[in-house]
Amino acid sequence: MPDPASAQSALSSSVSLMERFQRIRAASESICAPLQIEDYVIQSMPDVSPPKWHLAHVSWFFEAFVLLPFLHGYRVLDEAYDHLFNSYYETHGQPFPRASRGLLSRPGVAEVYRYRQHIDAAMGELLARPPVEHAAEIARRVELGLQHEQQHQELLLMDILHILAQNPLRPAYRSDLRPGSGQLPDEPHWRDYPGGLQQIGHGGEGFAFDCETPRHRQFLEGFRLASRPVSCADYLAFISDGGYARPELWLADGWSLVQQAGWRAPLYWQRTDGRWLEMTLGGLHPLDLQAPVCHISFYEADAYARWAGARLPSEAEWEIAASDLPITGNFLENDHLHPVAAPQAAAMSQLYGDVWEWTASAYRPYPGFRPLPGSLGEYNGKFMCGQMVLRGGCCVTPQAHIRATYRNFFYPAMRWQFAGLRLAKEA
Amino acid sequence: MPDPASAQSALSSSVSLMERFQRIRAASESICAPLQIEDYVIQSMPDVSPPKWHLAHVSWFFEAFVLLPFLHGYRVLDEAYDHLFNSYYETHGQPFPRASRGLLSRPGVAEVYRYRQHIDAAMGELLARPPVEHAAEIARRVELGLQHEQQHQELLLMDILHILAQNPLRPAYRSDLRPGSGQLPDEPHWRDYPGGLQQIGHGGEGFAFDCETPRHRQFLEGFRLASRPVSCADYLAFISDGGYARPELWLADGWSLVQQAGWRAPLYWQRTDGRWLEMTLGGLHPLDLQAPVCHISFYEADAYARWAGARLPSEAEWEIAASDLPITGNFLENDHLHPVAAPQAAAMSQLYGDVWEWTASAYRPYPGFRPLPGSLGEYNGKFMCGQMVLRGGCCVTPQAHIRATYRNFFYPAMRWQFAGLRLAKEA
Amino acid sequence: MPDPASAQSALSSSVSLMERFQRIRAASESICAPLQIEDYVIQSMPDVSPPKWHLAHVSWFFEAFVLLPFLHGYRVLDEAYDHLFNSYYETHGQPFPRASRGLLSRPGVAEVYRYRQHIDAAMGELLARPPVEHAAEIARRVELGLQHEQQHQELLLMDILHILAQNPLRPAYRSDLRPGSGQLPDEPHWRDYPGGLQQIGHGGEGFAFDCETPRHRQFLEGFRLASRPVSCADYLAFISDGGYARPELWLADGWSLVQQAGWRAPLYWQRTDGRWLEMTLGGLHPLDLQAPVCHISFYEADAYARWAGARLPSEAEWEIAASDLPITGNFLENDHLHPVAAPQAAAMSQLYGDVWEWTASAYRPYPGFRPLPGSLGEYNGKFMCGQMVLRGGCCVTPQAHIRATYRNFFYPAMRWQFAGLRLAKEA
Amino acid sequence: MPDPASAQSALSSSVSLMERFQRIRAASESICAPLQIEDYVIQSMPDVSPPKWHLAHVSWFFEAFVLLPFLHGYRVLDEAYDHLFNSYYETHGQPFPRASRGLLSRPGVAEVYRYRQHIDAAMGELLARPPVEHAAEIARRVELGLQHEQQHQELLLMDILHILAQNPLRPAYRSDLRPGSGQLPDEPHWRDYPGGLQQIGHGGEGFAFDCETPRHRQFLEGFRLASRPVSCADYLAFISDGGYARPELWLADGWSLVQQAGWRAPLYWQRTDGRWLEMTLGGLHPLDLQAPVCHISFYEADAYARWAGARLPSEAEWEIAASDLPITGNFLENDHLHPVAAPQAAAMSQLYGDVWEWTASAYRPYPGFRPLPGSLGEYNGKFMCGQMVLRGGCCVTPQAHIRATYRNFFYPAMRWQFAGLRLAKEA
Ligand SMILES: [Fe+3]
Ligand SMILES: [Fe+3]
Ligand SMILES: [Fe+3]
Ligand SMILES: [Fe+3]
C-alpha cells in the first residue's frame, strides 16, 4: 500500500537518485578503464569473477529487481542474460554456476557495455517518470542496487589484483597510483573503552543493509583497542618468530591450512633475492613496512593476535569505538588502492579505510533480524553461517559506502580481500 | 605453587576420585562389550574413530597428562603409543593422522585392553599415594581425564552406530534395548522468558571445561521457547512440504550440500516399500514418530525453523531456560540409546537428554576466555571457529557429564551426533 | 658433421621452405580471424589451451629449437616467454603449468601477434641465409616446426569448439561454413584384406614424426573393414538399444566413466524438445544423421563395436588398408569443419578425413623406435603409455599433414577431438 | 549339448578335481592363519581388499557360477552375500562398491569361515555326484574357480603386506620366513634370441585364462634379454644417479606422478639413519641388495631401463624366451615370500618366480580373442585397456598357477604387487 507522502518524497529525491545512479554507474566503468579486453575475461579462482561479468551482473540486478517489475513494456536485450548474470538468487530463475563464469567469452566486452547502456537508458526512463504507486519501493530498490554496485566496485579491484597476480609477468593494473606517505608509524598505544550496556546496529535514517538491523542492546565488558592496525613491520616480526611454524598459535582449521596450502606469509608477499616484495594494483613493489598488513586470513589475524598476547575485537567493540569517529581515511577515492602508513600521533587511526579489520565475531543474524522480503532476502541472510565479520572498509571501498554499522563478511580462510587486523585486549 | 589446603582436600577426595576413575573406566568397557572384534577396527568416515582407538586414546590421555608428569618411574608399555593415540595435541609430540586411524589393525583389541590395564594399574598406584606437592593438579587433571573419557563414551556410541549403519546387513549393536514410551506428545506450546541482563557460563564450584568460562553478562531480549523438541512427525511434515527442495528455506552452504550430497531426510532414515525406517543402535526399526527428530545437521535444523516461522534459540537463551531445571532426562544410563517421546503435559520437556539441541550460536570464546595452560589448552580453544554450539546432552551422554553451562560443538554439516532442535521465537 | 651435398640441397629447398613457412604461419592466423579477442583467452578444461597461447607456443617452438641455437645474435622479445610458452619440454627450462594457461590475460592478443611477427622476421632472416654447416639440421627443424604448427591448427579448432560449446549462448565460430551433401550413405559393406607378413611405419622419403618409425614387419591375419565409418544414424540405434545402460558392452573403465560422468550421447549432442541437436563450429544444428558419428571416446567406440558384433581395427590393419589409397577427403581445406556423409557406392570411403578413427592399438613405440635427440625427443616418445592410436585425419586436419603412417593418439576417455570409428572383423 | 566322452572324462577327473579343490581351498586358509582377527578387516587403499573379503569372495565365486546353476536344491547361507561378495560382475546382480569393502565389520571372520564351510560342503556334494549332462561345464567352472582362488592367494599376501606396512609398528606377518641365499649375483649378461615369425598364446591342453588365447603368430626382430632381473643394488645406482630427479628418463605420466606422489624409491623402501630398509612380510629388514628389485611401478621400470640404455621386453619376447624353460623358481611354496638373489652362473635365471616382470606390452586382446560366454566373460576382457602386461609369477604366486603364456596385468602406476623388471635390447 503506497504511502502518498513517502511516494512524493521518493519522487523528489529521484532526481538526486538519478544523479547518484549515473555517477556510481560511471565509477564502475572508470575502474575498468585501465583493463585490456583480455583482463575482463579471466576467473582466477572460483571466488573471483571476470570483470566483464561484474559489469553485467550489477546491471542485471537493476533489470531483475527494478526494470522487469516496474518499467511497463521493458524489453530485455537478450533472454539468456537472466541466467548468465544471476549470481545466486535461487528464487529468481537459475543462477549460472559460479565457478564457470570464466568459461564465457561471450557476450564480449563490447556487448556487456551495450547491455549497460541498455539498462541505463531504461533506468533513466523509469527514474524520470516513476509510477507513483511504486515510487518508494523503486527508490528503495535503486538505492540497494547502487549500494550493490559499490560492493562490486570493491570486488572488481580485489579480483583484478588477483587475476594479475597469477601472471608471472606481474602486470600492473595502473602505473600511476599515488604513493602513500612513507613515515614510520608510532608504536601503537592502547585506548580504553568502558563497558556497559551498549547499542549497536543500524536504527536510524539512511541506507543500511538488512544484516545491520535491528539496532539492539549488547552488554560489553570494558576493553582496549590498539591505536592503529598491525603493520607489515609488526607482521614480519611474527614471521621471524616462527609464527607460521608454531601450532600452539593457531586455530586447528588454520593450522591444517597452513600445512596443506604452505602459507608462509600474506597472500601477495614474495621473497626474492632476500627482499620482501608485494604484488599490488600498481605492480610488484618492495613491501611497505609502515603500511598495515593486508591480505591475511582470519586464521592468520587470530594467530598473530595470540602471538602478540592480545585478541581480535568483537564487532560490537569495534562499532562502539568507531561510532563517534568521522568516516575519513584511505578509501577508493584517495586513489592509493593500497593501504598506507598511519598518521603519526593519532589517538585512534585507520578504523575506517586502508584495511578491513577482522573481528572475533561470527557473521550471524542480530537478535530480531528480518531479511528483505522476496528474492532480495537472499542478498545477505543466507550467508550467515561459517563466515566472520570484518569492519571499517578499505582502500578500495567507496567512501560513501561505509558506515560504523557496516558488516562485511568472509570465510576465515579467504585472503584476497584487503583485510588486516587491529589488536584488542580486556580492559 | 601448591596450596597445602587444597592439596589436603585433593588428597582426601582422591579416594572418591579413585572410585570414580574405576567406575568411569569400567563404563567405557561396558559400552564395548557387545562388539565383535571386527567392529573395533572400522573407521567409517574421517570423523569416526575405530572403537579400539577410542579405548586406547582415553588411556593415553592419562598417560600423557598425568602419569608421565607425575608418577615417578612410570614406564610406558610401548613407545609407539604416544604417537598412535595422540589425537590432536600438536604441542605434545606428533599426532597420528586422524583419517588414517582405520588403517591400524595393530595393536589389536586384546593389546588395547592390556594397555588399559597398564594405565589403570599405574593410575591406581598414583592415586593411592599422590605426591603432596602435585596432588591438586593431579586431581584436576584426573577429573579432566574422566570428563574426557565420558565424552568418548558418547563418541563411541555415535561411531558404533555410524559403523554399523554403513553395512547393508544393518546389524544391531544390541537387540535388548529398552523401548521408550509410545505416547503421542502434546502439541508444543510456547513458554515465555523475560529479557534483561543475564549471566551465563560456569562460575561456581564443580568441574567445567575451560570453554564454559568465564561466567559473564549478556543482554537478552525477551524470548519464547517451544515446550518440547521438534518430533519426527513434525519433521515429516517439513519433508512432505518440499522442505529439501526449496532453496529459500536454506542457508547457502546448506543448500549446496543438499544438492551435492543428495540429502532428503535425516541421516539414518530410509524409505523402504513406502515406510520410513530408521537405523538405530537397536538395528533397523520403523520410525518413531513421537520421538524427537535426530541426526540432522545445523543446516537442516535452521531450514526447519525457518519453514516453521520460528528460529533456533541462542545458547544464552537455552542456558537461561535450563539453568533452574533439574538435570533429568533420557541419558545413557536410561539405556534407550535412542530419543524417546516427550512426556505429556510437561511445561518444558527434554531440555536435557534425548537429543542435543542445535543453537543459533557460533562456538566462539566467551569474553575473557583463557584456555588451560600447556598442551591441555588445545583441548577446546583451538576449535572455536566454524562450529555451532549444541546444548543439553542426549540419550548417549552420561548423565553426570551434563550441566546447564555445557557447550558441545559440531560443524554445521555434521549429522552423526544425536542432534535435533527446539524452536524459539521473539517474545 | 654437415654433409655438403645435403646442405646444398637444404639450401636450395630453403626457398620453398620459406614459402611453406609463410603459408602455414598465415593459415594459423586465418583460423583465428573469426575470433573475438575474448575467445582467445579461455581455457575451458585442462586439455584445452587458450587460442592465443597456441599462437604464441608454436612461435616459441621456432624460437627455442631454431632461432636460439642457429640465428647468430637473435634477441628474444621477452625473457618470460620461454617459460610461458613452453608446453612440456622439461629438459628445456620450466614449462608453465598446463592447467593454468587460462589464467594469463597478458601478454594480450596484440602482443602475441607482435611476437609472431618478431619470430617470422627472425625466421625470414635465418632462412634467407642459413649457416651452411647447419643448413640441413635447420631445414629438419623448421619442417618439424611447421608440422607442429599444423597440429596446433587442428588443436585450435578443437579447442575453439570446446570453448564455444561451454557457453549457453552456443555461439557459432563461423556462420558461413559450407554444408556437406545430405545424401543417405549406403549400408556399409565389408571389404576383405588378406593376412600375411606386412610392413607398416614410415620408411621412405618425406617428413614423418619419429613415432612413425622405423618401418617394420608385422604379421596380420586376414581381416575385413567396413566400407565407411559408423554414422550418426547407426550410433542412434546403439543409443536406442540401451547402449549407455548395458555394462556388458563396456570396458570396465568406460563403464565407470559412463556412470560417473553421466554420458548418454557423444560429447556435443543434446536432446531438445525431442530433437537431437549437435553443437558444431557453425553453431547448434540439427544432427546430420548421414555424417560419421564424431566426438566419442575410445570407450564409446569400443562399446559400439561390441554391440555391433564387430571390433575396432588395429592400427596395422588400418594402415595396410589405407596405404594404397589417395589421400583425399574432407579436410580443413574443404572448409566444412564438420564430418559429412560418405559418397555413395564407394568401395572404401573416408579412411582419410572427416573423423579420426579410433583403433584397437595402444600407442606404444614401434620395435626399434628411437626418439629424436635432445629436447625434441620429448615431442612424442614420452606420451607412449596409456593412450590409444587414431588414424586418418579429420575435417579440421590440414590435408598435407596426413599420411598413411600417421599416428595420432589420445587417452581413451577423451572426446573433444574429432574422433569416430570404423568397424573391423576377422576375415 | 553335453559330449558323453568328455563328460565321462570329466566325471573321472572330478575325483582329482575334488582333491585339488580341497587342497587349494585349504591353502587360502593357511595363508590367513598367522593373521589376527583385526588384520582381516582393513582396506588400506581402494585396490586392497580386507582378507576376510577375499576369503568370502572366492567362495561366492563357486556359489554364483557353480552351485546356484548346477546344484539342485542349493540354499544360500545369507541372501545378502550375493551383493557383498560380488567383486565386479555387473551382469550378475549388483557388486558392492569396491572402495567400501573396508567398511564392513560383519559378517565377521568366524562367519566368513562358516560361509566357506557351507560352500565346501555343497561343492563336495556336487563334485561327488555331478549331473552327467553338465559335468564337463561344471569341471571347467570349478577349474576356473580354483585358478581364481589361487589368484586371490597372491592378492591376499600383497594386501596383507600393504595393510601391515601402513602401520608405524611395522608388524611382521610371520617372523619365521626362510631367508634366501645371500650370494652376490653375477653381473648379468645378454642372451640373444633370433627373430622371425613366432607363435605365442595358449593353444594346447590344460587350463588357461581366456585372455591367453588364441595362440597366434607374431613377427619378432631378433632381441636380447638380460640373464637376470635388475637387482636392488642395480636400482640403488639408478637412485644415486638422480633417477627420480631427471625428467628425461620418464614417461610424462610417470614424471607427473613422481612429483605429485613424491616417489623417491620403491614402495616399501625407507631410509632410516643412513641405511635402506625394506618392509616385507617378515617385517622391516635391511634391504637385500642381491635380490631383484620389487614393488616398482611400470613407470619406474621403464625409467630404469631408459637410464640403463636398454628397454623392457615385449610380452612376446618374454614368452618366446620362457617357453622352453622349466617352471621352477621362487614361488609361494618356497616360503620365502620375498624375492631372493639369483643363482650364480645361470644362463637365464628367474624368468619364473621372484618378481613379476613388467613388459613393454599394453594388455590388449590377442587377435581373434573371444571372452568366456555369460557373466564369466567379465573375468578378464573388460580390463583390456590402460594396463600393462607382466609375466612370470613371483614369490607369492602358487607355482602350479603359472605358465609361459600367463598374462598378468596392472595399471602402470601400481606398486603393491611384487613387480620388478628384466632388461631387453635389440639384437
Ligand atoms: Fe552481486
Ligand atoms: Fe579425545
Ligand atoms: Fe606443441
Ligand atoms: Fe576375484
Side-chain angles (χ1 to χ4, degrees), chain D residues 133-215:
Chain D
E133 71 276 24
H134 298 127
E137 179 62 14
I138 290 170
R140 270 192 295 272
R141 293 197 182 185
V142 172
E143 184 57 41
L144 182 65
L146 292 175
Q147 298 283 344
H148 174 251
E149 184 141 355
Q150 287 182 316
Q151 288 186 313
H152 277 273
Q153 288 166 3
E154 175 165 345
L155 284 166
L156 270 166
L157 287 160
M158 287 161 54
D159 289 1
I160 290 167
L161 175 54
H162 195 267
I163 288 165
L164 297 177
Q166 306 311 304
N167 198 315
L169 301 171
R170 299 281 185 268
Y173 159 68
R174 280 175 44 198
S175 51
D176 64 336
L177 292 174
R178 301 190 306 186
S181 88
Q183 277 184 292
L184 195 70
D186 299 315
E187 276 303 287
H189 56 268
W190 294 103
R191 175 156 166 198
D192 284 285
Y193 295 85
L197 197 56
Q198 306 278 8
Q199 292 213 62
I200 67 163
H202 180 82
E205 295 293 298
F207 176 85
F209 285 112
D210 55 4
C211 63
E212 300 170 51
T213 65
R215 190 159 177 83

Side-chain angles (χ1 to χ4, degrees), chain C residues 57 87 148 152:
Chain C
H57 160 70
S87 52
H148 174 251
H152 278 272

Side-chain angles (χ1 to χ4, degrees), chain D residues 62-72 74-76 82 92:
Chain D
F62 289 109
E63 181 174 86
F65 299 122
V66 180
L67 294 172
L68 284 170
F70 297 118
L71 179 57
H72 188 71
Y74 174 74
R75 299 281 295 272
V76 300
D82 195 50
H92 174 103

Side-chain angles (χ1 to χ4, degrees), chain A residues 144-341:
Chain A
L144 183 65
L146 292 176
Q147 297 283 344
H148 174 250
E149 185 141 354
Q150 286 181 316
Q151 288 186 313
H152 278 273
Q153 287 166 4
E154 175 164 344
L155 284 166
L156 269 166
L157 287 160
M158 287 161 53
D159 291 359
I160 289 167
L161 174 54
H162 194 266
I163 288 164
L164 297 177
Q166 306 311 304
N167 198 317
L169 300 171
R170 299 281 185 268
Y173 159 68
R174 281 174 44 198
S175 49
D176 63 336
L177 292 175
R178 300 191 304 187
S181 89
Q183 276 182 294
L184 193 70
D186 299 314
E187 274 305 285
H189 56 269
W190 294 103
R191 173 158 168 199
D192 283 284
Y193 295 86
L197 198 56
Q198 305 276 7
Q199 291 211 66
I200 67 163
H202 180 83
E205 296 292 298
F207 176 83
F209 285 111
D210 54 5
C211 62
E212 299 169 53
T213 64
R215 189 159 177 82
H216 63 284
R217 285 168 285 184
Q218 210 172 109
F219 182 81
L220 296 182
E221 303 289 342
F223 63 96
R224 322 174 79 183
L225 286 187
S227 59
R228 62 161 174 79
V230 169
S231 71
C232 290
D234 299 333
Y235 201 83
L236 271 178
F238 166 74
I239 295 177
S240 303
D241 195 35
Y244 284 93
R246 293 168 53 186
E248 70 273 20
L249 298 174
W250 294 80
L251 288 163
D253 290 346
W255 182 244
S256 294
L257 212 43
V258 164
Q259 293 178 288
Q260 183 190 306
W263 288 352
R264 296 291 176 268
L267 175 57
Y268 294 123
W269 292 22
Q270 63 182 75
R271 198 163 168 83
T272 302
D273 302 333
R275 289 167 67 219
W276 281 106
L277 306 176
E278 185 174 19
M279 177 65 185
T280 71
L281 285 164
L284 191 63
H285 285 308
L287 188 64
D288 179 357
L289 294 173
Q290 284 88 41
V293 65
C294 192
H295 298 296
I296 58 173
S297 64
F298 173 80
Y299 299 124
E300 288 161 298
D302 177 85
Y304 179 91
R306 191 167 292 109
W307 172 81
R311 61 168 174 81
L312 299 177
S314 72
E315 63 170 322
E317 290 168 344
W318 191 96
E319 186 169 325
I320 294 305
S323 57
D324 55 359
L325 294 178
I327 304 177
T328 57
N330 174 16
F331 287 110
L332 174 63
E333 291 77 2
N334 295 52
D335 207 30
H336 298 307
L337 308 190
H338 195 70
V340 299

Side-chain angles (χ1 to χ4, degrees), chain B residues 34-45 52 78 80-81 83-84 96 102-111 163-164 166-169 171-173, chain D residues 34-45 52 78 80-81 83-84 96 102-111 163-164 166-169 171-173:
Chain B
L35 299 181
Q36 294 190 5
I37 291 186
E38 295 87 341
D39 301 327
Y40 281 95
V41 183
I42 306 279
Q43 179 170 36
S44 48
M45 65 166 171
K52 77 184 174 81
D78 189 312
Y81 290 3
H83 170 47
L84 293 178
F96 187 77
L103 301 183
L104 302 175
S105 58
R106 318 284 182 92
V109 173
E111 286 161 288
I163 289 165
L164 297 177
Q166 306 311 303
N167 198 316
L169 300 172
Y173 159 66
Chain D
L35 299 181
Q36 293 188 6
I37 290 185
E38 295 88 341
D39 301 327
Y40 281 95
V41 183
I42 307 278
Q43 179 170 36
S44 49
M45 66 167 170
K52 76 183 174 81
D78 189 313
Y81 290 4
H83 170 46
L84 293 178
F96 186 76
L103 302 184
L104 302 175
S105 58
R106 319 284 181 90
V109 174
E111 286 161 287
I163 288 165
L164 297 177
Q166 306 311 304
N167 198 315
L169 301 171
Y173 159 68

Side-chain angles (χ1 to χ4, degrees), chain A residues 34-45 52 78 80-81 83-84 96 102-111 163-164 166-169 171-173, chain C residues 34-45 52 78 80-81 83-84 96 102-111 163-164 166-169 171-173:
Chain A
L35 299 181
Q36 292 189 6
I37 290 185
E38 295 87 342
D39 301 326
Y40 281 95
V41 182
I42 305 278
Q43 179 171 37
S44 50
M45 64 166 172
K52 76 185 175 77
D78 190 312
Y81 290 3
H83 170 48
L84 293 178
F96 187 76
L103 302 184
L104 302 176
S105 58
R106 319 284 180 93
V109 173
E111 285 160 289
I163 288 164
L164 297 177
Q166 306 311 304
N167 198 317
L169 300 171
Y173 159 68
Chain C
L35 298 182
Q36 293 189 5
I37 289 186
E38 295 87 341
D39 301 326
Y40 280 95
V41 182
I42 306 278
Q43 179 170 37
S44 49
M45 66 166 171
K52 77 185 173 76
D78 189 313
Y81 290 3
H83 170 46
L84 293 178
F96 186 77
L103 302 183
L104 304 174
S105 58
R106 320 284 182 93
V109 174
E111 286 160 288
I163 289 164
L164 298 177
Q166 306 311 304
N167 197 316
L169 301 172
Y173 159 69

Side-chain angles (χ1 to χ4, degrees), chain B residues 57 87-89 148 152:
Chain B
H57 160 70
S87 52
Y88 55 64
Y89 295 85
H148 175 251
H152 278 273

